[in-house]
Amino acid sequence: MRIRAFILSLLLLPATVSAAWYEEEQDIMGTLIRVELASDDPLLAQTAIADVMDEMRRIDAAMSPYIPESELSRVNAMADVEPVRISAELFDLIDESIDFSRLTEGAFDITFASAGFLYDYRKHVRPDEVKLAEAVSHIDYHQLNLEPSDSSILFDQSGVKIDLGGIAKGYAVDRCIAILQELGINNALVTAGGDTRVIGQRWGRPWKIGVRDPRHKDRIVAMMPLENVAISTSGDYERFFEEDGERYHHIINPKTGESARELQSVTIIGDEATTTDALSTSVFVLGPERGMALIERLAGIDAIMVDGHGELHYSSGLMHPVAMQNK
Ligand code: AMP
Ligand code: MG
């Protein structure tokens, strides 16, 4: 009997223990959300994918500037008049955004939106010089007053607007990875547009993540084996239009209110997607020299930049293959 049971379990073993891979894509947050995960439990896999998509929708409903009823829209409508009470989650993300403003000497600034909302990239709309100059005078993260005692926010003056587009997708990816880990899933990828985080491996090997050529959609300029990291790319090809040979795109230099033009793309690798998302936008604004100097100062962060001529620049941590494997 014993021997038969053993043989039976041996026969059953590969079918019951080996994990299958599940994947799904949906359009949420105005971008493509992708989940890939391994599980030996099909029901758990379906639940996990549904939970990830629900979390993306929840964060979008709270933080989108395009949804008039979102918490963020409520702040933009009221915070110049009186303090607006907000959720701990939105409070903390605005607080973290201000930390990135300090770290990047204002290159990352969620009040860029004071001028940013004057652009419509799909309709090729941009402000004239007078309107832009007026709007730029309202860009300054120092005008945001967060009050922890009642979890509220107040703007110093009217005309100030905020937008979390440079950090919220990364934050959402981190939240979704936490949800998967709580469900006991240890091998997965979550992507929201240009922001990705991977845990574990894919089919027993490191994940392979590519950096696309900013000027050719189907070409890859770098490919990296990665495990347990976040990777974010900011590029001038995501949302843009061209006029008189000039490219107007969605990453705004807070000092000028105009698109940052020194780089074509920036890819940041680090532990958490909230950080890599904020830093990819920041370094895009800072440009190759100041951007690389910042990255070299930060422990556990690496960067790949494609400059205005299409040339690649790597941070020192990526020059050594061994360091890359250990990430
Ligand atoms: P990303 O998708 O990470 O490349 O970030 C681009 C998005 O960040 C834009 O669509 C804006 O919503 C937002 N953004 C643009 N310029 C800035 C800036 N200087 N600081 C913070 N957020 C920005
Ligand atoms: Mg970003």
Side-chain angles (χ1 to χ4, degrees), residues 14 26 65 104 126 154 209 216 239 243 254 260 277 289 299 309 316-317 324:
Q26 288 187 23
T104 62
R126 64 188 179 91
L154 174 69
I209 311 276
H216 299 275
R239 271 189 279 151
E243 204 178 282
D277 188 4
E289 285 85 22
H309 308 288
S316 53
M324 235 171 84

Short mmCIF file of all heavy atoms in Angstrom, two decimals, residues 14 26 65 104 126 154 209 216 239 243 254 260 277 289 299 309 316-317 324:
data_model
loop_
_atom_site.label_atom_id
_atom_site.label_comp_id
_atom_site.label_asym_id
_atom_site.label_seq_id
_atom_site.Cartn_x
_atom_site.Cartn_y
_atom_site.Cartn_z
N PRO A 14 4.42 16.32 -10.51
CA PRO A 14 4.67 17.42 -11.45
C PRO A 14 3.41 18.23 -11.73
O PRO A 14 3.46 19.45 -11.82
CB PRO A 14 5.14 16.70 -12.72
CG PRO A 14 5.59 15.36 -12.26
CD PRO A 14 4.74 15.03 -11.07
N GLN A 26 -4.74 45.43 -19.31
CA GLN A 26 -5.94 46.27 -19.36
C GLN A 26 -5.53 47.73 -19.49
O GLN A 26 -4.46 48.12 -19.05
CB GLN A 26 -6.79 46.10 -18.08
CG GLN A 26 -7.49 44.77 -17.99
CD GLN A 26 -8.45 44.69 -16.81
OE1 GLN A 26 -8.92 45.70 -16.30
NE2 GLN A 26 -8.72 43.48 -16.37
N PRO A 65 -6.02 63.65 -12.40
CA PRO A 65 -6.44 65.05 -12.59
C PRO A 65 -7.53 65.18 -13.64
O PRO A 65 -8.13 66.24 -13.80
CB PRO A 65 -5.15 65.74 -13.05
CG PRO A 65 -4.35 64.67 -13.70
CD PRO A 65 -4.73 63.36 -13.03
N THR A 104 15.98 66.96 -5.74
CA THR A 104 16.34 67.26 -7.13
C THR A 104 16.43 68.77 -7.38
O THR A 104 16.44 69.20 -8.53
CB THR A 104 15.30 66.66 -8.10
OG1 THR A 104 14.01 67.26 -7.85
CG2 THR A 104 15.17 65.15 -7.90
N ARG A 126 -0.74 74.60 -27.03
CA ARG A 126 0.26 75.07 -26.07
C ARG A 126 0.03 76.54 -25.79
O ARG A 126 -0.58 77.25 -26.61
CB ARG A 126 1.68 74.85 -26.62
CG ARG A 126 2.00 75.64 -27.87
CD ARG A 126 3.33 75.21 -28.42
NE ARG A 126 3.66 75.93 -29.64
CZ ARG A 126 4.35 77.06 -29.66
NH1 ARG A 126 4.78 77.63 -28.54
NH2 ARG A 126 4.62 77.65 -30.82
N LEU A 154 -3.09 73.02 1.95
CA LEU A 154 -3.49 74.39 1.61
C LEU A 154 -2.44 74.96 0.66
O LEU A 154 -1.24 74.81 0.90
CB LEU A 154 -3.58 75.23 2.89
CG LEU A 154 -3.85 76.73 2.73
CD1 LEU A 154 -5.28 76.96 2.22
CD2 LEU A 154 -3.64 77.47 4.05
N ILE A 209 14.38 42.83 -19.18
CA ILE A 209 13.65 44.06 -19.45
C ILE A 209 14.46 44.90 -20.43
O ILE A 209 15.66 45.12 -20.23
CB ILE A 209 13.44 44.89 -18.14
CG1 ILE A 209 12.89 43.99 -17.01
CG2 ILE A 209 12.56 46.10 -18.40
CD1 ILE A 209 11.43 43.77 -16.98
N HIS A 216 12.65 54.81 -32.42
CA HIS A 216 12.15 53.67 -33.19
C HIS A 216 11.47 52.69 -32.23
O HIS A 216 12.13 51.99 -31.47
CB HIS A 216 13.29 52.94 -33.92
CG HIS A 216 13.99 53.82 -34.90
ND1 HIS A 216 13.54 54.01 -36.18
CD2 HIS A 216 15.10 54.58 -34.77
CE1 HIS A 216 14.35 54.84 -36.80
NE2 HIS A 216 15.30 55.21 -35.97
N ARG A 239 3.98 61.33 -24.91
CA ARG A 239 2.90 62.24 -25.29
C ARG A 239 3.54 63.50 -25.83
O ARG A 239 4.24 64.21 -25.09
CB ARG A 239 2.03 62.58 -24.05
CG ARG A 239 0.91 61.59 -23.86
CD ARG A 239 -0.05 62.03 -22.78
NE ARG A 239 0.47 61.71 -21.48
CZ ARG A 239 0.20 62.39 -20.38
NH1 ARG A 239 -0.54 63.47 -20.44
NH2 ARG A 239 0.69 62.02 -19.22
N GLU A 243 5.90 71.07 -33.74
CA GLU A 243 5.49 72.31 -34.40
C GLU A 243 6.76 73.08 -34.75
O GLU A 243 7.61 73.28 -33.87
CB GLU A 243 4.62 73.12 -33.44
CG GLU A 243 3.67 74.09 -34.12
CD GLU A 243 2.82 74.81 -33.09
OE1 GLU A 243 1.86 74.21 -32.58
OE2 GLU A 243 3.15 75.97 -32.77
N PRO A 254 10.23 72.83 -14.57
CA PRO A 254 9.45 73.74 -13.72
C PRO A 254 9.94 75.19 -13.78
O PRO A 254 9.18 76.11 -13.48
CB PRO A 254 9.66 73.18 -12.30
CG PRO A 254 10.02 71.75 -12.51
CD PRO A 254 10.80 71.72 -13.79
N ALA A 260 11.33 69.71 -21.24
CA ALA A 260 12.77 69.53 -21.03
C ALA A 260 13.35 68.87 -22.28
O ALA A 260 12.80 67.87 -22.74
CB ALA A 260 13.00 68.67 -19.80
N ASP A 277 10.12 55.92 -10.55
CA ASP A 277 9.22 56.76 -11.35
C ASP A 277 9.57 58.24 -11.14
O ASP A 277 9.81 59.00 -12.09
CB ASP A 277 7.76 56.49 -10.94
CG ASP A 277 6.77 57.17 -11.85
OD1 ASP A 277 7.17 57.79 -12.85
OD2 ASP A 277 5.56 57.10 -11.56
N GLU A 289 24.25 65.73 -17.45
CA GLU A 289 25.32 65.95 -16.46
C GLU A 289 24.78 65.99 -15.04
O GLU A 289 25.19 65.20 -14.18
CB GLU A 289 26.11 67.24 -16.76
CG GLU A 289 27.07 67.12 -17.93
CD GLU A 289 26.37 67.40 -19.25
OE1 GLU A 289 25.31 68.07 -19.23
OE2 GLU A 289 26.84 66.92 -20.30
N ALA A 299 22.61 55.71 -3.34
CA ALA A 299 22.93 54.29 -3.21
C ALA A 299 21.79 53.45 -3.79
O ALA A 299 20.62 53.76 -3.61
CB ALA A 299 23.13 53.95 -1.74
N HIS A 309 21.41 63.23 -28.99
CA HIS A 309 21.99 62.69 -30.23
C HIS A 309 21.75 61.20 -30.37
O HIS A 309 22.29 60.56 -31.28
CB HIS A 309 23.51 62.96 -30.28
CG HIS A 309 23.86 64.39 -30.03
ND1 HIS A 309 23.62 65.37 -30.96
CD2 HIS A 309 24.39 65.00 -28.96
CE1 HIS A 309 23.99 66.54 -30.47
NE2 HIS A 309 24.46 66.35 -29.26
N SER A 316 27.68 54.28 -13.21
CA SER A 316 28.82 53.38 -12.97
C SER A 316 28.37 52.00 -12.50
O SER A 316 29.02 51.01 -12.80
CB SER A 316 29.79 54.01 -11.98
OG SER A 316 29.10 54.38 -10.81
N GLY A 317 27.26 51.90 -11.78
CA GLY A 317 26.78 50.60 -11.30
C GLY A 317 26.42 49.63 -12.41
O GLY A 317 26.40 48.42 -12.21
N MET A 324 25.38 44.20 -11.85
CA MET A 324 24.03 44.10 -12.41
C MET A 324 23.35 42.80 -11.99
O MET A 324 22.18 42.79 -11.64
CB MET A 324 24.12 44.15 -13.94
CG MET A 324 23.27 45.22 -14.52
SD MET A 324 23.61 45.40 -16.25
CE MET A 324 22.58 44.15 -16.91
#
